[in-house]
Amino acid sequence: KDNTIAVTWPGGWNIIVEATQNSFYLGLGWKRASSEPASYTWTFTSVWRDSVMLAYQGAASAAQASNPLDPDTPPAGNSGTGSITSITVPDVTTTTVDTIMLAICNDIAISGWSAAPAGWTQREAGGSEICIDDRAFASAGTQAGAVQGCAFSTGAWKGYSLAIQSVGDDQHYFPPPVFPGVFNLDARRMI
């Protein structure tokens, strides 16, 4: 969102971070699915907005972890302004096996995104401002952040990393998205 006015999130969502860079807002949050409505509404006054919702099946349940992220508090994002041709998201040090790491990149003045970095899958490169890649990791430890290429930009940008811990089992595959706009990915079966 292209200003600093506060965003009202729908009920039940846990805000991970809300950050601005040169009046350029980015908010990240998570929610465990349970009897979901047909749609959600985020309220703000800006006319500039891009949003992406990803759904991962098989993430750690509330009984297994109060927070499905690993670590509970993600690392601080990278941000800045000026001429760039790529955005680097921070490394994540996970403590559980079978996680999926998300690289979330946002740029206010970009005209396009490159393909995902090697080993990563691009889940969204929507509009001209947001790109999300993910990658599965079988073991715990420091997972290197992605370097997402982009068209030359001189605007404000941000890059964040998240890792989702999964339910442990011996089945490892990604099902395809079931409908456009929301990617339904099996975090439990991703390695």
Side-chain angles (χ1 to χ4, degrees):
K1 183 171 90 65
D2 188 14
N3 67 29
T4 57
I5 296 172
V7 172
T8 301
W9 285 65
W13 285 81
N14 299 277
I15 298 172
I16 299 167
V17 65
E18 290 186 292
T20 57
Q21 177 71 28
N22 283 24
S23 298
F24 185 36
Y25 169 94
L26 174 67
L28 304 174
W30 66 270
K31 181 184 186 303
R32 283 194 171 96
S34 175
S35 302
E36 301 305 301
S39 64
Y40 290 102
T41 301
W42 282 259
T43 306
F44 49 88
T45 58
S46 171
V47 298
W48 295 97
R49 60 218 173 254
D50 284 312
S51 62
V52 176
M53 181 185 299
L54 300 175
Y56 288 87
Q57 178 183 355
S61 69
Q64 296 162 321
S66 60
N67 184 332
L69 303 179
D70 182 10
D72 287 356
T73 304
N78 294 329
S79 62
T81 58
S83 301
I84 61 167
T85 56
S86 65
I87 295 176
T88 302
V89 301
D91 297 350
V92 173
T93 301
T94 59
T95 59
T96 59
V97 299
D98 291 344
T99 58
I100 188 163
M101 184 170 163
L102 281 70
I104 300 112
C105 301
N106 204 213
D107 191 309
I108 195 171
I110 201 165
S111 60
W113 299 97
S114 303
W120 293 76
T121 299
Q122 197 162 81
R123 300 297 177 184
E124 175 66 27
S128 60
E129 296 183 347
I130 192 162
C131 181
I132 301 177
D133 304 325
D134 66 21
R135 182 175 186 177
F137 291 96
S139 58
T142 300
Q143 318 301 353
V147 179
Q148 174 61 56
C150 57
F152 180 77
S153 171
T154 58
W157 57 270
K158 296 180 218 58
Y160 282 89
S161 298
L162 302 175
I164 302 171
Q165 56 182 303
S166 68
V167 176
D169 71 12
D170 59 357
Q171 301 176 49
H172 306 293
Y173 69 90
F174 274 127
V178 296
F179 60 92
V182 177
F183 288 97
N184 293 267
L185 307 172
D186 197 332
R188 175 187 53 189
R189 300 172 176 175
M190 61 195 173
I191 305 301

